[in-house]
């Protein structure tokens, strides 16, 4: 069969599977619990607001905003309830509701199971979130076809592992660095081998990623300890501690987040270098190990140059308002460069950059070696090796 026709068929099949996945996602999204089921949260529409108990001016407000809400789903669908929206003066958490907005409310029942009250939690944003996710799935599948489908599966698998394994394990008090490192090894294997398969390219990218992982762990611990970073400057740490998790090792959790943030970019570079070596080998099958590695280094140097800047822009973009705040207060350079929060981000950025700088040559050398030796990593070859070997 013509290769072009085969690729088109794979792309069509991938899009169909993607549409099925969107349909399943929509099923979960549009599912509404029946009267026999009850959720402490429900969707509602704001009918009326009461700000008489709210104090303060401008964007900082304190007190209770009361909103009259008509419930749109759940056990009490169609009923109206007066919900309380507590404002504590936090720009990150507070939100003043307006008439007509769809919101999420927490429901209270009395002993007879009747509606007793409600608390306004947040704006209902699920509609547009679903549309955004659907656009991402369709565009990925339309462009990348079967490879995009595998990337989507790895994306979903990574979210599952992070939400159901990594975060609960950290909350249970497992050693943050050891446990996170183990989870990252699993995630790297899941993502890389699902995308590239158990091939020379996949194995090369995996080896490069894992090598970078252990290097970045060492860098984060070594320099983080000497920079007197305790992790308490990380956003939302206070909420975790005050929720009953004072026993957690926040410093090591911070080091783990540094490594997790660096692992994604390292995996990207490792896959780029492994794919580059593969393409060079395909175009020139008789190339030597030295020539292959040299060509990989030439490509890697260009890739590294842009990726390190990409990391810098990503981290600065996350804290742009912080830098703006420093500029408005005319803080000195010495003050800024020694502030715990800033130094934490410097550690995060440079640890990831060092990991990227090292993952490129490691992956290049390993890939050049594995592509210049006669080893077949295909599934059929491995099966033949173990099950069809002759005795003696």
């Amino acid at each position: 069969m013509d290769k072009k026709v085969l690729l088109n068929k794979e792309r069509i099949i991938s899009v169909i599977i993607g549409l099925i996945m969107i349909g399943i996602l929509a099923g979960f999204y549009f599912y509404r619990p029946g009267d026999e089921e009850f959720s402490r949260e429900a969707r509602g529409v704001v009918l009326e607001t009461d700000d008489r108990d709210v104090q303060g001016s401008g964007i900082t407000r304190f007190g209770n905003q009361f909103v009259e809400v008509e419930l749109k789903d759940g056990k009490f669908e169609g009923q109206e309830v007066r919900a309380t929206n507590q404002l504590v003066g936090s720009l990150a958490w507070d939100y003043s509701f307006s008439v007509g907005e769809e919101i999420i409310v927490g429901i209270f029942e009395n002993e007879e199971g009747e509606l007793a009250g409600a608390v306004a939690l947040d704006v209902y944003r699920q509609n547009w979130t679903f549309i955004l996710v659907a656009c991402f799935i369709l565009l990925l599948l339309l462009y990348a076809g079967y490879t995009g489908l595998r990337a989507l599966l790895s994306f979903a698998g990574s979210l599952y592992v992070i939400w159901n394994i990594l975060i609960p394990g950290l909350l249970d008090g497992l050693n943050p660095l050891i446990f996170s490192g183990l989870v990252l090894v699993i995630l790297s294997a899941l993502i890389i081998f699902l995308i590239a398969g158990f091939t020379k390219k996949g194995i090369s990218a995996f080896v490069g990623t894992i090598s970078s992982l252990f290097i970045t762990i060492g860098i984060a611990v070594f320099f983080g300890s000497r920079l007197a970073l305790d992790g308490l400057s990380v956003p939302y740490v206070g909420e975790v501690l005050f929720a009953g998790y004072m026993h957690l090792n926040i410093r090591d959790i911070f080091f783990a987040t540094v490594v997790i943030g660096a692992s994604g970019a390292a995996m990207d570079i490792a896959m780029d270098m492994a794919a580059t070596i593969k393409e060079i080998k395909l175009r020139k099958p008789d190339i030597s190990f030295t020539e292959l590695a040299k060509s990989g280094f030439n490509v890697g140097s260009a890739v590294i140059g842009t990726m390190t800047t990409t990391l810098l822009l990503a981290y600065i973009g996350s804290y742009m308002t912080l830098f703006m705040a420093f500029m408005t207060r005319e803080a000195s350079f010495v003050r800024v460069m020694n502030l715990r929060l800033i130094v934490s981000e410097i550690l995060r950025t440079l640890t990831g950059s060092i990991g990227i700088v090292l993952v490129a040559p490691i992956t290049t050398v390993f890939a050049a070696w594995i592509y210049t030796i006669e080893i077949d990593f295909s599934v059929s070859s491995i099966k033949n090796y173990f099950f069809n070997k002759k005795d003696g």
Side-chain angles (χ1 to χ4, degrees):
M1 184 179 294
D2 185 75
K3 185 176 181 180
K4 185 176 181 180
V5 175
L6 183 61
L7 290 175
N8 288 335
K9 284 188 174 182
E10 286 184 351
R11 180 168 277 115
I12 293 173
I13 293 173
S14 300
V15 171
I16 293 174
I17 295 175
L19 291 173
I20 295 173
M21 294 177 68
I22 293 176
I24 295 173
L25 183 63
F28 284 109
Y29 169 73
F30 289 110
Y31 171 74
R32 295 288 180 259
D35 288 341
E36 73 282 0
E37 299 184 22
F38 174 71
S39 172
R40 291 186 60 190
E41 296 178 0
R43 180 172 57 93
V45 176
V46 177
L47 303 177
E48 185 180 341
T49 63
D50 182 357
D51 294 340
R52 286 176 293 180
D53 192 43
V54 178
Q55 300 178 354
S57 60
I59 59 176
T60 303
R61 309 178 76 189
F62 303 88
N64 292 323
Q65 179 192 42
F66 298 99
V67 291
E68 194 73 23
V69 181
E70 180 184 354
L71 301 179
K72 293 298 184 180
D73 59 15
K75 181 178 179 179
F76 304 104
E77 182 177 357
Q79 297 189 35
E80 295 184 10
V81 63
R82 185 176 174 85
T84 303
N85 175 29
Q86 186 177 19
L87 303 174
V88 296
S90 172
L91 297 180
W93 293 99
D94 288 350
Y95 187 91
S96 295
F97 300 110
S98 303
V99 174
E101 282 188 314
E102 276 195 312
I103 67 172
I104 299 293
V105 294
I107 301 296
F108 297 105
E109 290 182 279
N110 57 26
E111 294 180 356
E112 290 75 27
E114 299 173 339
L115 181 60
V119 175
L121 300 176
D122 212 329
V123 176
Y124 184 79
R125 301 180 174 93
Q126 198 165 312
N127 290 330
W128 288 105
T129 302
F130 174 78
I131 294 173
L132 184 62
V133 171
C135 290
F136 166 70
I137 293 175
L138 286 177
L139 290 174
L140 181 63
L141 295 176
L142 285 171
Y143 176 75
Y146 184 58
T147 301
L149 176 61
R150 289 183 292 177
L152 185 62
L153 293 175
S154 70
F155 185 85
S158 299
L159 286 178
Y160 178 86
V161 170
I162 291 171
W163 184 254
N164 291 283
I165 298 178
L166 178 59
I167 296 177
L170 293 176
L171 290 174
D172 286 340
L174 298 178
N175 185 290
L177 290 170
I178 296 176
F179 180 65
S180 298
L182 178 61
V183 171
L184 285 175
V185 170
I186 296 173
L187 281 177
S188 299
L190 169 69
I191 297 169
I192 291 174
F193 292 128
L194 193 56
I195 298 298
F198 194 74
T199 60
K200 292 182 178 182
K201 181 174 76 172
I203 293 172
S204 300
F206 181 73
V207 170
T209 301
I210 299 306
S211 300
S212 174
L213 169 64
F214 290 112
I215 291 171
T216 52
I217 289 177
I219 294 172
V221 173
F222 180 83
F223 284 98
S225 301
R226 281 149 185 80
L227 291 170
L229 298 177
D230 52 17
L232 294 177
S233 60
V234 178
Y236 308 116
V237 167
E239 284 79 359
V240 174
L241 294 176
F242 297 143
Y245 293 92
M246 298 294 293
H247 63 284
L248 295 181
N249 187 337
I250 298 299
R251 190 191 71 160
D252 283 358
I253 290 178
F254 165 66
F255 293 156
T257 62
V258 172
V259 176
I260 292 170
S263 64
M267 192 184 309
D268 184 28
I269 295 295
M271 183 63 75
D272 288 345
M273 299 314 304
T276 297
I277 295 298
K278 176 187 176 182
E279 289 300 317
I280 295 174
K281 181 66 176 178
L282 287 176
R283 296 294 183 270
K284 191 176 182 182
D286 59 341
I287 191 172
S288 65
F289 165 80
T290 303
E291 292 176 323
L292 191 56
K294 184 177 180 181
S295 298
F297 287 149
N298 291 335
V299 175
S301 60
V303 173
I304 289 172
T306 56
M307 183 57 73
T308 52
T309 306
T310 300
L311 278 181
L312 175 64
L313 294 176
Y315 290 131
I316 287 182
S318 300
Y319 286 90
M320 183 61 70
T321 52
L322 176 64
F323 289 108
M324 293 170 65
F326 280 128
M327 184 167 290
T328 59
R329 297 180 182 179
E330 298 182 352
S332 67
F333 180 78
V334 173
R335 171 65 177 137
V336 172
M337 293 304 295
N338 286 276
L339 190 69
R340 182 172 55 177
L341 181 59
I342 297 298
V343 176
S344 297
E345 293 311 307
I346 291 175
L347 175 69
R348 194 188 302 273
T349 303
L350 295 184
T351 298
S353 298
I354 293 173
I356 288 174
V357 170
L358 294 178
V359 72
I362 292 173
T363 306
T364 298
V365 171
F366 185 85
W369 171 75
I370 205 173
Y371 271 102
T372 51
I373 60 175
E374 297 299 326
I375 297 180
D376 188 357
F377 287 99
S378 64
V379 175
S380 59
S381 176
I382 295 174
K383 184 189 297 184
N384 292 333
Y385 177 80
F386 282 103
F387 295 103
N388 297 329
K389 287 196 302 183
K390 296 181 179 179
D391 296 334

